Amino acid sequence: MEVCYQLPVLPLDRPVPKHVLSRRGAISFSSSSALFGAPDPRQLSQRRGAISYDSSDQTALYIRMLGACVIFRQLFTRDVRVRSCISLEPERRGSHPYLCVDFRILHSRHDPAAPASAYSVRRLLSFQRYLHSSRRLRCGSAPPHILDDDYVGQAKCMLQRTGSWNFDIFLFDRLTNGNSLVTLTFHLFHHYGLIELFQLDMVKLRRFLVMVQEDYHSQNPYHNALHAADVTQAMYCYLQEPKLSTSLSACDILLGLLAAATHDLDHPGVNQPFLIKTNHHLAALYKNTSVLENHHWRSAVGLLRESGLFSHLPAEDGLNMEKQLGSLILATDISRQNEYLTKFREHLEKDDLCMANSSHRHFVLQMALKCADICNPCRPWELSKQWSEKVTEEFFHQGEIEKRHSLEVSPLCDSQTNTVGSIQTGFMTYVVEPLFAEWARFSDTRLSRTMLGYLALNKAGWSGALQELGGGLDEGTEASAEEPDSTALPQGSQRS
């Protein structure tokens, strides 16, 4: 299947720059040095292939073009888009097998009898990284997603509405060719001026975000880079709330965005009880305590150090930021929900949360990240419904793995005894509602009322009791300036 890549042009007689050898990437070259600088489109057919460099050993790997190169649009002087049949399967970071089940094939549903090339994951690590699922590659009928000026323009328009609670992350992901996490996070760093404030190297930042995005498992129906992008967008909405926007420091904002983007990094698509009962090495490493969250944190720290994003900071400051990042990510452990919720209630009852206190601000950031992580039931129906179906699919797939290996099926993972509606109704009642009710007490704004309103509608939608709810959201409860989109509400909830 043909896939679109964006690669810089480099002739064979030009030496490879040292800064290219120091990072993962790819160089597209041609047989004519005249193509360097301002290539003539008529001569681009002379392109012969690409060189991919790995920073671990700086070994060059020649990749032949398996078809004629087709130029779609020249956007910059030294950047062209080509379409070719390039495939590469590098070793994946962070995924390890346990006893019986290998995480690398955990979600594979291919025919074992099929040839290896039919289902191999095809990837090319370049500075501007592709992101497409191997499942889509195996489907011959699906056309390649080619980005052009129109799509880029629409994505830029959507970025102007990043603070809207109705933000459609699914549409944004399509418009960015599956690079929603990189595009959104980079935009928010620029929006807050964090690149200048912390003197971040833009190349290192881009490289870090690309590595974060690629270390999310695209085969996971729910815990993937798209979920991370959605949580990051929700986190931005909370950072815009009056109590937070007027008191958070630049460091708080930086940590909040980084934690949102990396909070589920390298998630294997199974839960903690699954890792514990299968004696996975991660469960032993973290002593059966916040196993996944500890792994997400350590994976994030590994990428921070590999990319050198904070290498220019004093060592003590860098370690402190890594520690605070871990504190935020560990707060997303759903098994500690009551612990954080009880502490939050106590602060609200005593009215002693002081946003001038750094520890109190950090605790508020923890609660904001917890809300962002499970905010899907508080989204408009059309968005919430998709997330509900995705997380249930992941649950049921874990149940299939457990049955396949004669393991006890985890709660909510048996497709024979559970439905999307029953799982979501219970989750909303016992987990989401208590958390967001307390958040609304802390931040009594239009956004909080909007979230609670959508939560009530979605819960009624799954329980089949929309007629008892008696209508949609009250007027004026939308988080942004525009009125709520009527098509975003569950069927039957729109006002007549």
Side-chain angles (χ1 to χ4, degrees):
M1 179 176 177
E2 294 182 334
V3 183
C4 178
Y5 299 96
Q6 183 173 0
L7 304 172
V9 175
L10 188 68
L12 292 175
D13 56 356
R14 182 178 176 87
V16 178
K18 292 183 179 180
H19 72 274
V20 174
L21 290 173
S22 66
R23 68 170 184 262
R24 290 185 178 86
I27 299 175
S28 173
F29 63 88
S30 75
S31 60
S32 171
S33 61
L35 294 184
F36 184 75
D40 183 352
R42 291 174 297 180
Q43 296 178 332
L44 288 170
S45 61
Q46 300 176 19
R47 295 166 62 93
R48 293 293 181 265
I51 298 176
S52 176
Y53 288 94
D54 191 321
S55 60
S56 60
D57 55 9
Q58 298 184 1
T59 301
L61 176 64
Y62 175 67
I63 308 171
R64 288 195 57 83
M65 299 287 186
L66 301 181
C69 298
V70 181
I71 305 304
F72 291 100
R73 189 183 298 272
Q74 182 176 342
L75 300 180
F76 304 99
T77 303
R78 296 166 64 180
D79 287 336
V80 293
R81 287 204 169 103
V82 298
R83 184 170 62 179
S84 60
C85 298
I86 301 176
S87 64
L88 177 66
E89 185 174 3
E91 181 181 356
R92 182 171 182 85
R93 297 191 303 272
S95 297
H96 305 283
Y98 80 94
L99 297 182
C100 300
V101 180
D102 190 339
F103 281 149
R104 292 170 296 183
I105 58 172
L106 206 59
H107 296 272
S108 59
R109 295 184 174 88
H110 57 262
D111 183 6
S117 60
Y119 57 82
S120 60
V121 179
R122 300 173 184 183
R123 307 164 68 186
L124 178 62
L125 297 178
S126 59
F127 181 66
Q128 179 159 339
R129 164 132 158 56
Y130 92 96
L131 181 67
H132 56 267
S133 66
S134 57
R135 187 180 309 166
R136 193 177 288 173
L137 280 176
R138 292 195 297 271
C139 180
S141 61
H145 293 279
I146 306 301
L147 281 179
D148 56 22
D149 288 341
D150 294 334
Y151 279 91
V152 172
Q154 293 180 51
K156 288 182 178 178
C157 288
M158 287 197 69
L159 284 175
Q160 298 175 4
R161 301 183 63 253
T162 309
S164 171
W165 192 247
N166 286 347
F167 189 85
D168 190 342
I169 196 65
F170 296 101
L171 173 60
F172 184 71
D173 192 60
R174 293 194 294 271
L175 293 177
T176 57
N177 199 31
N179 290 281
S180 56
L181 180 58
V182 173
T183 306
L184 178 64
T185 310
F186 197 90
H187 166 76
L188 294 178
F189 268 65
H190 177 73
H191 170 75
Y192 280 112
L194 299 175
I195 298 176
E196 294 78 11
L197 285 172
F198 292 93
Q199 299 179 346
L200 301 177
D201 186 313
M202 292 184 65
V203 174
K204 292 181 179 179
L205 174 60
R206 177 83 180 186
R207 180 171 179 248
F208 168 74
L209 294 178
V210 167
M211 290 193 297
V212 167
Q213 182 172 265
E214 74 177 35
D215 270 10
Y216 277 96
H217 300 200
S218 60
Q219 66 268 32
N220 288 347
Y222 182 80
H223 290 103
N224 49 41
L226 184 58
H227 166 65
D230 181 64
V231 172
T232 304
Q233 189 272 332
M235 190 66 171
Y236 171 67
C237 291
Y238 300 149
L239 294 179
Q240 294 294 100
E241 292 288 77
K243 283 192 175 183
L244 280 72
S245 62
T246 58
S247 58
L248 293 181
S249 66
C251 185
D252 294 330
I253 295 173
L254 174 66
L255 289 171
L257 294 178
L258 283 178
T262 62
H263 79 284
D264 274 333
L265 191 60
D266 198 33
H267 196 294
V270 292
N271 58 21
Q272 175 173 296
F274 181 89
L275 300 179
I276 294 175
K277 68 184 176 184
T278 54
N279 296 318
H280 190 266
H281 73 276
L282 289 178
L285 177 64
Y286 299 116
K287 300 179 180 179
N288 298 343
T289 304
S290 299
V291 176
L292 287 172
E293 289 72 26
N294 271 295
H295 178 58
H296 304 326
W297 169 33
R298 298 301 182 181
S299 298
V301 170
L303 295 188
L304 282 172
R305 296 183 180 182
E306 182 179 349
S307 65
L309 185 61
F310 295 150
S311 60
H312 63 289
L313 299 177
E316 184 178 352
D317 292 345
L319 292 175
N320 185 49
M321 294 188 73
E322 291 175 359
K323 181 179 179 181
Q324 292 188 64
L325 178 65
S327 177
L328 290 173
I329 295 177
L330 290 175
T332 62
D333 186 354
I334 200 68
S335 66
R336 301 179 61 189
Q337 176 86 347
N338 289 335
E339 173 188 339
Y340 282 93
L341 194 56
T342 301
K343 184 178 179 181
F344 197 32
R345 285 196 183 110
E346 292 176 353
H347 278 299
L348 294 178
E349 291 172 359
K350 296 178 181 178
D351 194 22
D352 61 353
L353 276 175
C354 178
M355 298 303 287
N357 186 316
S358 60
S359 62
H360 285 190
R361 290 200 310 271
H362 186 77
F363 177 69
V364 170
L365 273 181
Q366 288 177 319
M367 299 307 299
L369 182 59
K370 289 180 65 65
C371 289
D373 188 26
I374 61 172
C375 72
N376 301 146
C378 300
R379 295 282 194 178
W381 172 257
E382 292 302 323
L383 302 177
S384 177
K385 183 173 181 290
Q386 294 182 67
W387 287 120
S388 299
E389 293 169 345
K390 288 177 179 295
V391 71
T392 305
E393 179 185 353
E394 190 167 297
F395 287 165
F396 289 169
H397 185 57
Q398 175 180 325
E400 294 172 2
I401 296 173
E402 291 168 332
K403 292 178 181 179
R404 189 185 313 153
H405 294 276
S406 302
L407 301 172
E408 181 183 355
V409 179
S410 301
L412 308 181
C413 295
D414 192 345
S415 59
Q416 302 298 322
T417 59
N418 296 279
T419 64
V420 179
S422 63
I423 292 175
Q424 288 303 306
T425 301
F427 180 65
M428 293 177 185
T429 302
Y430 300 108
V431 180
V432 181
E433 278 184 345
L435 177 62
F436 280 86
E438 299 304 322
W439 179 263
R441 286 178 58 194
F442 167 72
S443 177
D444 186 13
T445 62
R446 288 189 296 177
L447 174 58
S448 296
R449 292 191 292 272
T450 296
M451 293 189 296
L452 290 177
Y454 280 131
L455 176 61
L457 287 172
N458 294 333
K459 182 180 177 181
W462 286 118
S463 62
L466 278 178
Q467 65 277 10
E468 299 177 4
L469 192 60
L473 291 172
D474 295 335
E475 297 181 1
T477 59
E478 173 53 29
S480 57
E482 72 275 6
E483 290 295 325
D485 184 0
S486 60
T487 61
L489 302 181
Q491 183 177 3
S493 67
Q494 303 173 17
R495 291 184 181 273
S496 57

